Amino acid sequence: MRKVVRGFYSVAYSVKLCKPNVICAYPITPQTEIVENLAAMYANGELGDAEYITAESEFGAASTLVGASAAGARVFSATCSQGLILMSEVLFNAAGMRLPIVLVNTNRALSAPLSIWNDHQDSMAMRDAGIMQVYVENNQEAHDMVPQAYKVAEDRRVLLPFMVCMDGYKLTHAYEPIDLLDQETVDSFLPPYEPAAYMTTKKPLAFGCYAPPHIYMELRVAMQQAMERAKEVMSEVYREWGELTGRDWGGHIAVDFPDSRIFVVAMGSVVGLLRKVVEELRREGQSVGLIKIRTFRPFPVEELRDALKDAEKVIVLDRSVSFGYEGPVSIDLKSAIYGHSSAEIYSYAVGLGGRDMPKDFLEKLIRDVAEGREEPGFAFKGYHEFEEVIP
Amino acid sequence: MKFFGSGHGACPGCGLPIAVKTVLNVLEGKVFAVNSTGCLEIISSQYGKNAWNVPYIHSLFENAAAVAAGVEAALRAMKRKDEGYVVVFAGDGATADIGIGTLSGAFDRNHDILYICLDNEAYQNTGHQQSGLTPPGESTTTTPAGRVLPGKVGRKKDMISIAVAHGIPYVASSSVGYISDIRRKVKKAVKFEGAKYIQIHSPCVTGWGIDGSLSIKVARLAVETGLYPLVEYEYGKLTSVKKIKDRKPVEEYLKLQRRFRHLFTHERGREMIEVLQKFADENAEKYGLDLRKEE
Ligand code: SF4
């Protein structure tokens, strides 16, 4: 059913079709309307036997999902920004406990200074938690990602939390025509959750044991192996989704114009506009291609090596910064292609805290690199010099 | 059948295993145990040496109430509530300090859980640091008795009143010194639908500085002096109080424990003993602890 809906609803509706048993969340802009939509569905009796819990904080919400997931429930929460980092202690824990919790993060900048607008600093802070991260380009992809997230997370080869990242405001508040999934399609794709292990008095098991040095490392190695297997499982699931719905969002990365000399690499909603810019530049005869990173964790190392093996210049657009170094996507990309590509890397931090990235800005950025007006290295782009009050 | 025990590594004389075994036995092992980080978790949940024979989860220090809420919600959503009771075992620091936010949330939403606070009056797992439930005058490693300070200055947080203020159906205090009291209260608590809170005074031999063989005696003295009143609230109303025949002076309790030893030599020791005596007297007054002749 095609309907014009906001990003919030595209997610909430998809969550409903996945039939979670327990939803627990705490409001935060620009996520709130996702859980408000779910709360309305709950109030109207549209969520079956599910329990919807209003937590006292995001920390509490994530903790509640840990308990529910360990007891064998399919669970959901949504958050962003301060809420996500408030959850962070729990999320590291949930990953270690191998709980297939599914989250939607509506990417928003971190304080200070306080900003409710979009960038990727929040989810990047969760990069090392053991949580799968996928960044979507538009609300249809967000809608489509939720059932896929459950299928991957709950696969016995994986069993790790999954976070779908969608840009706050840019996507959440946008109205778009969405092909809404129907229950039969989702049911045929996503079987009921059958946990590999769960809390039951019929067969008592212990979750969250403490591990002395003789065993801790083995369990962490197992997490890494699960992430490696997740890459395979995600590929299978992405393919299956494409066949089932006719909407193929690509693999871990999606490459436009693979034979280019220059590539722009980006994640999230900016990809749509970049595609237009790249197409126009190509019409002018520039050899520019586009790489959209969908799966950020596990990181698509082989895919990037392959896509960039003959590239001459790579422009990486980061929506966050590892202060004292550079953008995390760029850091990871460089390390992935090291020894496999001799491309020069132009690493740019852009669009922080909702800073606009209009078409002419992106166009100039690419043109300056393509036409040799830039040196490789890291830089912030799209900001103004200003006099600090405190030096 | 044993629900807790084989392999646990508590110090001999520790109150924790006594309390846990009592609770699990009363509930015949029909328990989903949720444990916060602390001594109990460390002595019982080592990978490969799990001492729990009921489904068990430990997540973090400060989130046991929220995790329990999740377990309970899941059981409700999946129509598995008849499998057992959701019971939290958390220390005093986890309950009254770092975890009070999630605890308040779970109480506020009135989840059908039994929250047991095992109150040994300090962070014992990390070597005896003060918590909100450390009584005044106690020397801990973060409130040591020094040339100037006589140990902790300040009150023991009144968690019983805080729990009662949430309007939950059942709140009680109990003590490892009175096993049958724990048994009775647990049995009664689980009859209520909604959140239940029982705070159990539990001696820590190393932190309190007592001989393991004295645990029960010391725990009983806390009650007999009025420092640890055993009370029971149903829907906000005080419904029972353990009466004391001849209330003992607090010194009798204090002098057996290394954590209070300085009070008998320190310049401000007398003052702190008086604070504690006043605390006991206030309890006696508030709850009507003293058994009078006519009663
Ligand atoms: S340190 Fe204290 S609380 Fe911990 S096991 Fe020993 S006696 Fe029990």
Side-chain angles (χ1 to χ4, degrees):
Chain A
M1 184 187 29
R2 202 167 170 81
K3 230 175 140 180
V4 176
V5 297
R6 290 179 107 181
F8 304 114
Y9 188 82
S10 76
V11 169
Y13 193 77
S14 196
V15 169
K16 171 187 140 163
L17 298 180
C18 293
K19 300 179 180 167
N21 305 106
V22 176
I23 298 167
C24 187
Y26 187 82
I28 183 169
T29 302
Q31 168 285 116
T32 308
E33 274 183 57
I34 293 177
V35 296
E36 282 176 352
N37 274 299
L38 287 164
M41 292 169 187
Y42 183 61
N44 291 320
E46 293 166 18
L47 296 181
D49 292 326
E51 290 288 327
Y52 179 100
I53 300 168
T54 53
E56 68 287 341
S57 70
E58 287 90 352
F59 176 84
S63 300
T64 298
L65 296 193
V66 164
S69 182
R74 178 175 286 166
V75 301
F76 178 77
S77 191
T79 189
C80 64
S81 185
Q82 308 307 125
L84 184 68
I85 59 169
L86 185 56
M87 281 185 178
S88 71
E89 189 192 5
V90 188
L91 294 180
F92 273 78
N93 183 254
M97 269 202 253
R98 308 292 301 276
L99 299 173
I101 290 169
V102 170
L103 291 174
V104 168
N105 184 60
T106 60
N107 284 90
R108 167 183 146 181
L110 290 181
S111 182
L114 185 111
S115 164
I116 57 168
W117 291 275
N118 164 237
D119 68 29
H120 294 168
Q121 196 79 50
D122 54 357
S123 48
M124 284 297 147
M126 291 296 102
R127 188 184 70 162
D128 303 334
I131 301 176
M132 295 173 276
Q133 287 193 21
V134 166
Y135 290 74
V136 301
E137 177 183 339
N138 57 36
N139 288 333
Q140 182 73 59
E141 192 179 7
H143 182 69
D144 284 3
M145 251 347 275
V146 176
Q148 298 181 72
Y150 279 110
K151 188 149 183 164
V152 173
E154 291 170 1
D155 191 292
R156 296 212 177 166
R157 291 167 288 176
V158 181
L159 296 175
L160 288 169
F162 197 119
M163 183 159 74
V164 178
C165 298
M166 68 191 292
D167 285 334
Y169 287 102
K170 305 232 152 84
L171 297 184
T172 52
H173 287 62
Y175 285 94
E176 284 180 55
I178 302 292
D179 280 319
L180 292 175
L181 294 157
D182 57 55
Q183 192 65 64
E184 297 77 71
T185 308
V186 174
D187 284 349
S188 73
F189 171 78
L190 180 67
Y193 176 37
E194 278 187 33
Y198 66 104
M199 291 174 79
T200 168
T201 47
K202 295 187 182 111
K203 185 175 178 253
L205 292 171
F207 285 73
C209 293
Y210 101 88
H214 76 268
I215 189 69
Y216 181 88
M217 196 160 164
E218 282 68 17
L219 297 171
R220 302 306 270 186
V221 171
M223 280 173 74
Q224 175 73 359
Q225 289 165 343
M227 270 287 183
E228 281 158 13
R229 288 193 298 271
K231 254 189 99 176
E232 300 302 314
V233 175
M234 285 164 131
S235 298
E236 286 170 25
V237 168
Y238 292 168
R239 243 191 326 271
E240 190 188 340
W241 189 261
E243 283 160 16
L244 178 72
T245 64
R247 288 189 296 274
D248 186 349
W249 297 99
H252 298 293
I253 64 174
V255 186
D256 290 359
F257 311 111
D259 57 343
S260 304
R261 287 191 307 111
I262 300 169
F263 281 96
V264 188
V265 181
M267 306 197 300
S269 61
V270 73
V271 167
L273 185 55
L274 275 173
R275 194 171 285 125
K276 275 206 183 64
V277 173
V278 164
E279 276 165 12
E280 281 178 23
L281 288 170
R282 285 195 75 88
R283 273 199 290 278
E284 277 177 23
Q286 302 269 22
S287 177
V288 185
L290 174 67
I291 297 178
K292 162 186 168 183
I293 296 183
R294 296 184 66 214
T295 316
F296 179 68
R297 279 294 179 274
F299 198 66
V301 175
E302 294 78 15
E303 290 77 0
L304 286 169
R305 276 181 192 163
D306 188 50
L308 296 174
K309 61 182 183 303
D310 300 320
E312 290 167 22
K313 294 180 175 182
V314 180
I315 306 165
V316 186
L317 301 185
D318 261 288
R319 309 288 314 284
S320 63
V321 185
S322 174
F323 292 98
Y325 196 7
E326 55 185 77
V329 179
S330 170
I331 295 169
D332 285 357
L333 178 136
K334 280 189 198 170
S335 126
I337 66 171
Y338 178 76
H340 296 264
S341 167
S342 52
E344 291 175 337
I345 312 289
Y346 299 77
S347 160
Y348 296 147
V350 294
L352 303 186
R355 174 61 48 89
D356 246 359
M357 294 179 286
K359 194 157 157 264
D360 55 349
F361 165 75
L362 296 170
E363 200 184 297
K364 179 169 184 309
L365 210 80
I366 300 169
R367 228 188 260 285
D368 283 350
V369 170
E371 292 163 11
R373 284 188 295 276
E374 288 284 352
E375 292 293 317
F378 172 66
F380 289 86
K381 292 285 180 185
Y383 71 102
H384 317 291
E385 297 292 344
F386 86 123
E387 236 172 273
E388 290 173 84
V389 181
I390 302 165
Chain B
M1 185 176 175
K2 246 178 150 184
F3 304 116
F4 180 88
S6 40
H8 85 67
C11 311
C14 175
L16 304 178
I18 303 172
V20 171
K21 275 184 205 163
T22 305
V23 174
L24 296 181
N25 286 338
V26 168
L27 301 178
E28 293 166 351
K30 281 184 68 178
V31 168
F32 290 82
V34 180
N35 192 189
S36 57
T37 308
C39 251
L40 177 61
E41 169 255 334
I42 292 294
I43 63 162
S44 67
S45 81
Q46 182 175 326
Y47 195 87
K49 292 186 181 174
N50 167 34
W52 297 78
N53 198 14
V54 296
Y56 169 92
I57 186 168
H58 156 254
S59 170
L60 300 169
F61 198 1
E62 71 278 41
N63 70 354
V67 172
V71 174
E72 189 257 350
L75 296 180
R76 201 156 10 116
M78 296 187 295
K79 314 257 176 280
R80 286 172 44 207
K81 283 215 49 155
D82 57 348
E83 260 191 53
Y85 306 101
V86 179
V87 181
V88 176
F89 294 97
D92 47 285
T95 301
D97 292 342
I98 196 166
I100 198 166
T102 58
L103 177 62
S104 179
F107 281 174
D108 183 41
R109 295 185 303 266
N110 203 22
H111 284 278
D112 192 18
I113 59 173
L114 169 59
Y115 190 105
I116 306 248
C117 169
L118 298 162
D119 179 12
N120 52 28
E121 307 195 307
Y123 296 98
Q124 307 298 7
N125 178 41
T126 43
H128 197 224
Q129 294 81 27
Q130 90 89 35
S131 82
L133 294 193
T134 300
E138 175 168 348
S139 179
T140 71
T141 57
T142 50
T143 56
R147 268 194 300 279
V148 181
L149 290 173
K152 172 167 171 171
V153 182
R155 295 180 58 87
K156 179 179 172 87
K157 197 185 278 190
D158 186 359
M159 275 307 296
I160 297 293
S161 297
I162 291 171
V164 168
H166 281 81
I168 59 174
Y170 185 84
V171 176
S173 54
S174 191
S175 165
V176 163
Y178 298 87
I179 300 295
S180 58
D181 186 72
I182 301 179
R183 246 189 242 129
R184 183 180 70 75
K185 285 173 176 165
V186 169
K187 218 179 267 174
K188 185 164 189 184
V190 295
K191 294 211 177 92
F192 293 89
E193 166 97 30
K196 286 83 64 175
Y197 179 76
I198 305 180
Q199 184 171 305
I200 302 178
H201 201 214
S202 174
C204 166
V205 292
T206 58
W208 293 12
I210 53 173
D211 189 274
S213 63
L214 286 183
S215 286
I216 301 298
K217 182 176 177 188
V218 170
R220 282 178 169 254
L221 273 169
V223 175
E224 289 162 355
T225 52
L227 280 171
Y228 217 95
L230 304 190
V231 302
E232 206 173 14
Y233 286 88
E234 291 170 38
Y235 295 107
K237 287 220 165 56
L238 186 65
T239 54
S240 95
V241 169
K242 183 170 178 51
K243 297 275 185 184
I244 306 166
K245 191 126 122 255
D246 294 304
R247 191 151 55 84
K248 297 183 170 136
V250 295
E251 276 106 319
E252 280 197 35
Y253 171 65
L254 304 176
K255 71 182 181 203
L256 295 178
Q257 308 175 57
R258 195 179 53 232
R259 61 175 172 157
F260 295 116
R261 197 169 49 191
H262 61 286
L263 296 182
F264 298 94
T265 52
H266 197 278
E267 214 174 74
R268 290 180 63 190
R270 191 51 16 219
E271 178 198 328
M272 293 318 288
I273 292 172
E274 275 160 22
V275 166
L276 284 158
Q277 187 59 56
K278 192 162 159 268
F279 186 43
D281 294 344
E282 280 170 10
N283 283 336
E285 171 79 22
K286 178 176 177 188
Y287 295 113
L289 295 178
D290 293 317
L291 191 66
R292 298 186 206 288
K293 295 233 162 49
E294 61 274 21
E295 287 182 79

